[in-house]
Amino acid sequence: MKKLTVPLLLLFSTALAAQHIAEGVIYDMETGKPLPYANIQIVGTYKGTISNDNGRFRLPLETLPAELLIRYIGYESRTVEVTPSSLRLDIAMVPTPVELREVVVTAEDPAVGIMRKVIENKQRWRALITTYRASAYTRAALKNDTSIVSISESTSEVYWHRDRGSREVVTSRQETSNISSDNNFAFAGQIPNLYDDDIDLMEFDIVGPTHPKALNYYRFSIIGQRRIDDKTVVDIAIAPKNKLQPTFVGRISILLDDYALIDIDVTPNRAMLFPPPIQELNLHFRQQYSNFGGDFWLPVDMRIQGGIKIGFTGLQFPTMHYSQISRLTDYEINVPMPDSLYAFGDAIQIDSLSTAADTLRADTTPRIPLTPEEEKAYATLDSTMTLEKAFRPTGFLAKMARLDVEREGSSDGNGGDGPDAFSMFSLFRPELLYNRVDGLRAGISIARDIPGNLSVRLMSAYSSGLKRWAWKGELSYNRDRSRGFRAGITWSRGSETVQRSLNYPRLFNSLNFLCGQPDYFDYYWSEAWNLTVGYAFRLKTQVHLEAGLRRERGESLSKTTEWTLFDNDRLHRENPAIDEGTTSGLTAAVTLGDGFAPWGFIGFNRMRVEVEYAHPDLMGSDAAFTSWNLVLDGRIPTFLPRRFLPNVIDFRIIGGTVTGDPPLQRLGSMDARLGIFTPYGTFRAIRHRPVTGRSYAGMFWEHNFRTVPFEILGLRKLAEKGVSLLIHGASGRTWIPEEDLARFDWNGLNGWHHEIGVSLSGLFDLFRIDCTWPLSGNGVYFGLSGSRMF
């Protein structure tokens, strides 16, 4: 974060100015019970505070005498004078008897008429506010099922601009000794103002109860009346009209004479669902508002209670309970905003000099008093009581993780005997492949970063079937993944796949082949070197430019084994011959957008175009051709755009062509299913081999309805477990010239292939089952793949 600085003189003069501390308890005169979160205002100012859970308050005063106005719904407001001799205040509040207004019976619920006037009134005064600044105090506590495990506090200056958004400058911080200041997340600038039209809450765009179209989204009904002084407060229950739209459920309180929202107590409705590994999330919001004697109704606090449970099969974390209280005061309306606040993208910025001075510990800081439980936490939590210990997971995966930690600890120099077999895997990694040509290819690889933004990777392996050694060496320079220059050079010798796959690493095919399934790829022997340079930069999207020089000598290989773990009676197809010789040429590629993510776990927007040009004039190439390949991925939201995960359609368009006289290993290909594995981006109703051709085109798509169908059907348990419904389809074909039909062992699509299907995603958190029907053939094809997470 960009650190801001302020003059120390200004910092300390502010602290010295607030020499007087008024403190005490707000309580009910009749019962003696403390009144939590009472609103205390310094008369004639925008300054004030609120009481804590136990009715206690603490308020710095710059001058004496001063007048305090204490307000609490259902009670007569009180004005109290504070003098040097009366800084300790125990203030009794007198309950106000409720006098019910006469209700006029109309065709609509009276609450609807009230809310219509509240919305109209808000639009009027909101239009007059362009900016504001306020001082904030925030305290956040994290708990497990037994006790508080950390506390964070901060004071800050909060800035809001109608067009440019909010910013927060943290001026002081304090936390329990078991966490660092970097893990202090007590911020006020990003808390929601529930009086807003649209409320951004954890990536949900929630319609606020006072949104101009709130009457289309909420049911309003009067549930009670209270009084504050001589004014009536109407309590209104709110509930969503549409259970699929993210809204709130709970109570709002309207000051009837002003048609203003003065208190809200709500939770998000059941449309606020999250995908695994979030199993349960509960949030409860309370917020009060005041006009401070003026025209604008502004938040004076925010109180949040919540709990989150995270886990999946084999790994479960204890429920994390979260609470936060924020107080906003000392408002300045329609003041100029420093341009420096918006010069950087950081919404939360740290004032380094102020936080270093640790002013939060000073007695003059306007803190909300700690509760007894919080005072105990500050006194007892030490650096040994880490959050990792407080939220230690359970399950067989957790046991494996703890075992790995113990092994690492035994070789860290603190009583261990040095590196063991497990730590060796951080240096060397096994290389294992198995197919009908290599047989077993086994070896090791090493990858290391070296000074100067360089990285090196070395691999050596022996193929039992070919009785040959394979090796690879790679040296690359990459200063920054997202921008700047990069370069690399690679030397390699070994078997390579004839077909290019966007979805299947060779190890996956090895496991599939070992289980007795047909070998997915064909192979040839390659001896090659490749030099690439590139440049990355960002415009409206990420851009990668690449160019290279490649030389490869190819040699045909024969099948060497039929052996698999199962079904040894199967005879696997012969490995086709290639046009042997040298291919030398230039390569170029342009990539726009996000990074590539296989198997459809997440959606993204990306386009990549690749070109390769080979010619005899380029280092004596035996082949002469030009190839073009395109991969275009996109995502389009369809329904329920206000949800964290709206309904979306994902699509992938691939295509390419080769002109000239290419070798077999330079033809285009599209993926089919691999055994029972049917990931996104493949023809799920075509088995065993990729489809190839001189030219090819394909489109793969699926519409994700998320959990919505199960919510509509009332199958809430399935929705809460993240089970979602998808429909999917694919179309494609290849083009093969007649003169090439006898030249290569083709697995092409001479006509258009179309298929459509349905999927259930989120089974056991991580898996999905696919059911596919080919429109140009017979049968139903079932398969498994990874869940659509996002």
Side-chain angles (χ1 to χ4, degrees):
M1 294 182 180
K2 179 69 177 177
K3 294 186 177 181
L4 304 179
T5 57
V6 295
L8 280 174
L9 179 61
L10 180 62
L11 171 67
F12 291 129
S13 64
T14 302
L16 291 171
Q19 291 291 329
H20 312 288
I21 305 295
E23 56 185 340
V25 177
I26 313 294
Y27 64 95
D28 185 304
M29 173 177 282
E30 294 181 0
T31 65
K33 293 182 178 180
L35 298 178
Y37 312 115
N39 191 355
I40 302 108
Q41 177 190 345
I42 303 174
V43 175
T45 74
Y46 281 97
K47 297 181 179 181
T49 190
I50 60 173
S51 60
N52 71 359
D53 281 345
N54 308 114
R56 294 174 54 205
F57 74 94
R58 188 175 185 278
L59 180 62
L61 301 171
E62 295 180 6
T63 60
L64 292 178
E67 278 191 325
L68 302 184
L69 175 64
I70 299 90
R71 294 165 62 89
Y72 202 91
I73 297 178
Y75 292 80
E76 294 285 350
S77 297
R78 285 198 57 184
T79 301
V80 178
E81 185 178 41
V82 183
T83 65
S85 60
S86 62
L87 290 171
R88 172 68 191 185
L89 301 167
D90 293 332
I91 301 171
M93 302 291 287
V94 179
T96 302
V98 177
E99 297 178 5
L100 297 179
R101 287 191 172 192
E102 181 180 353
V103 177
V104 178
V105 178
T106 62
E108 65 179 8
D109 192 300
V112 175
I114 292 172
M115 290 307 302
R116 186 175 287 112
K117 292 182 179 180
V118 170
I119 293 168
E120 292 172 355
N121 190 40
K122 170 192 159 182
Q123 299 307 308
R124 177 189 58 77
W125 61 259
R126 265 295 180 95
L128 302 177
I129 302 178
T130 56
T131 66
Y132 66 70
R133 186 208 66 82
S135 298
Y137 165 81
T138 300
R139 181 166 68 244
L142 196 62
K143 303 179 182 180
N144 57 19
D145 291 331
T146 58
S147 62
I148 293 176
V149 299
S150 73
I151 299 176
S152 305
E153 297 179 87
S154 75
T155 60
S156 59
E157 298 297 315
V158 175
Y159 301 84
W160 177 84
H161 190 286
R162 179 191 297 165
D163 300 320
R164 304 172 76 179
S166 62
R167 291 291 186 270
E168 179 177 14
V169 179
V170 177
T171 54
S172 63
R173 293 185 291 186
Q174 182 177 332
E175 57 279 325
T176 48
S177 58
N178 63 328
I179 61 173
S180 66
S181 59
D182 291 337
N183 292 321
N184 184 323
F185 298 110
F187 302 127
Q190 300 305 304
I191 63 174
N193 178 359
L194 303 184
Y195 218 144
D196 284 344
D197 293 342
D198 298 288
I199 299 156
D200 184 5
L201 184 61
M202 303 179 74
E203 300 300 324
F204 282 83
D205 186 13
I206 299 182
V207 178
T210 59
H211 188 283
K213 296 183 179 179
L215 297 177
N216 296 333
Y217 288 87
Y218 288 95
R219 292 188 178 92
F220 297 97
S221 58
I222 295 177
I223 56 175
Q225 292 186 20
R226 295 179 285 174
R227 294 188 67 81
I228 184 167
D229 300 330
D230 59 345
K231 296 183 178 181
T232 299
V233 176
V234 177
D235 291 327
I236 296 177
I238 62 173
K241 286 186 174 180
N242 185 335
K243 64 182 179 180
L244 301 178
Q245 292 287 357
T247 52
F248 289 110
V249 178
R251 171 194 53 80
I252 58 177
S253 297
I254 304 300
L255 189 62
L256 205 55
D257 291 28
D258 296 282
Y259 289 103
L261 175 66
I262 62 171
D263 188 72
I264 184 168
D265 185 342
V266 293
T267 61
N269 73 333
R270 300 180 80 186
M272 193 169 179
L273 286 171
F274 288 88
I278 297 177
Q279 296 178 330
E280 185 177 342
L281 178 65
N282 299 305
L283 292 171
H284 190 173
F285 298 93
R286 299 180 181 93
Q287 193 166 45
Q288 300 178 89
Y289 308 89
S290 174
N291 65 349
F292 298 92
D295 296 324
F296 310 123
W297 292 87
L298 302 167
V300 298
D301 68 357
M302 169 56 82
R303 289 157 282 149
I304 305 173
Q305 297 284 337
I308 182 170
K309 188 170 181 60
I310 298 174
F312 49 84
T313 303
L315 187 69
Q316 294 290 328
F317 288 88
T319 301
M320 302 178 189
H321 302 279
Y322 176 82
S323 64
Q324 177 176 323
I325 183 169
S326 295
R327 185 223 53 233
L328 297 162
T329 185
D330 201 11
Y331 277 96
E332 296 178 14
I333 311 298
N334 293 330
V335 295
M337 296 283 104
D339 289 335
S340 59
L341 287 173
Y342 297 92
F344 303 91
D346 299 323
I348 300 171
Q349 304 167 20
I350 307 298
D351 184 334
S352 56
L353 288 182
S354 296
T355 53
D358 203 9
T359 56
L360 190 53
R361 298 178 186 272
D363 288 339
T364 54
T365 300
R367 301 168 73 186
I368 298 172
L370 299 172
T371 65
E373 186 182 12
E374 290 168 335
E375 291 176 347
K376 180 181 177 181
Y378 263 117
T380 58
L381 288 174
D382 60 34
S383 59
T384 65
M385 301 176 182
T386 63
L387 299 184
E388 289 80 4
K389 291 181 180 179
F391 298 104
R392 189 182 296 275
T394 59
F396 68 89
L397 292 178
K399 294 178 181 178
M400 293 172 61
R402 285 197 292 272
L403 183 59
D404 286 342
V405 170
E406 292 169 2
R407 285 166 175 160
E408 291 176 5
S410 68
S411 58
D412 63 0
N414 297 320
D417 296 326
D420 59 16
F422 295 95
S423 62
M424 291 295 288
F425 280 112
S426 65
L427 181 63
F428 298 103
R429 295 185 179 180
E431 289 284 329
L432 295 172
L433 295 174
Y434 187 75
N435 56 66
R436 73 188 191 283
V437 172
D438 281 286
L440 175 63
R441 191 173 101 169
I444 58 172
S445 68
I446 179 174
R448 275 293 174 266
D449 293 331
I450 56 180
N453 301 308
L454 296 172
S455 61
V456 62
R457 181 176 184 269
L458 302 172
M459 183 277 293
S460 180
Y462 183 74
S463 296
S464 64
L466 298 175
K467 302 188 183 328
R468 283 171 139 180
W469 283 93
W471 56 264
K472 184 175 184 179
E474 181 178 350
L475 178 66
S476 61
Y477 170 86
N478 191 353
R479 185 173 182 178
D480 189 316
R481 285 188 174 185
S482 61
R483 65 189 65 187
F485 175 77
R486 70 276 313 279
I489 186 168
T490 304
W491 301 266
S492 63
R493 177 180 186 271
S495 66
E496 294 290 345
T497 61
V498 169
Q499 302 91 350
R500 189 179 76 162
S501 173
L502 292 174
N503 295 283
Y504 305 131
R506 290 182 66 178
L507 179 60
F508 268 53
N509 178 58
S510 298
L511 298 173
N512 184 66
F513 181 65
L514 272 172
C515 292
Q517 294 296 310
D519 198 338
Y520 184 75
F521 294 111
D522 298 319
Y523 306 89
Y524 70 102
W525 186 261
S526 169
E527 296 181 4
W529 61 264
N530 188 27
L531 173 66
T532 59
V533 295
Y535 190 79
F537 57 95
R538 187 169 187 86
L539 296 174
K540 291 184 178 181
T541 187
Q542 188 68 34
V543 181
H544 291 266
L545 304 178
E546 303 170 33
L549 184 63
R550 175 183 174 86
R551 180 178 172 87
E552 179 187 54
R553 178 168 180 79
E555 177 186 329
S556 297
L557 295 174
S558 299
K559 180 175 65 172
T560 65
T561 184
E562 303 278 2
W563 188 87
T564 61
L565 292 175
F566 311 101
D567 195 9
N568 277 306
D569 294 332
R570 181 194 293 266
L571 292 178
H572 297 279
R573 71 181 186 275
E574 295 297 325
N575 191 60
I578 66 166
D579 287 335
E580 298 183 343
T582 300
T583 302
S584 303
L586 302 174
T587 61
V590 178
T591 305
L592 305 177
D594 306 326
F596 183 79
W599 304 341
F601 287 136
I602 62 175
F604 56 94
N605 296 289
R606 181 180 185 267
M607 182 180 73
R608 181 174 175 86
V609 178
E610 299 176 343
V611 182
E612 183 176 5
Y613 173 74
H615 193 273
D617 293 339
L618 293 172
M619 297 178 293
S621 176
D622 295 323
F625 65 89
T626 302
S627 69
W628 296 80
N629 294 284
L630 165 72
V631 181
L632 175 64
D633 284 278
R635 161 167 285 190
I636 302 173
T638 54
F639 309 117
L640 302 173
R642 287 182 172 271
R643 297 179 74 145
F644 169 55
L645 294 178
N647 287 191
V648 293
I649 185 168
D650 291 283
F651 64 88
R652 173 174 297 167
I653 298 172
I654 63 176
T657 188
V658 185
T659 60
D661 187 22
L664 176 63
Q665 60 271 27
R666 291 298 190 271
L667 300 180
S669 61
M670 296 182 289
D671 276 320
R673 62 187 294 148
L674 180 66
I676 64 169
F677 190 46
T678 53
Y680 170 70
T682 66
F683 292 112
R684 294 178 167 105
I686 297 178
R687 296 184 292 183
H688 304 326
R689 297 178 67 184
V691 293
T692 56
R694 268 185 177 265
S695 299
Y696 65 99
M699 180 174 181
F700 308 89
W701 61 268
E702 58 185 32
H703 188 279
N704 194 343
F705 291 98
R706 309 289 187 187
T707 59
V708 171
F710 304 109
E711 295 174 59
I712 293 174
L713 295 173
L715 302 174
R716 184 72 187 178
K717 290 295 184 181
L718 290 177
E720 290 176 348
K721 289 184 176 294
V723 177
S724 57
L725 178 71
L726 303 92
I727 58 171
H728 60 79
S731 298
R733 70 159 297 175
T734 60
W735 288 266
I736 305 169
E738 289 187 9
E739 61 270 19
D740 287 341
L741 289 176
R743 182 182 172 196
F744 297 126
D745 178 19
W746 297 95
N747 183 45
L749 296 173
N750 292 324
W752 282 99
H753 169 85
H754 303 285
E755 60 185 40
I756 195 167
V758 62
S759 301
L760 282 179
S761 181
L763 304 176
F764 301 102
D765 300 327
L766 301 176
F767 304 102
R768 63 183 271 179
I769 184 169
D770 304 306
C771 181
T772 308
W773 294 266
L775 301 184
S776 53
N778 298 318
V780 179
Y781 294 80
F782 291 92
L784 295 174
S785 52
S787 289
R788 271 277 184 189
M789 295 295 188
F790 298 100

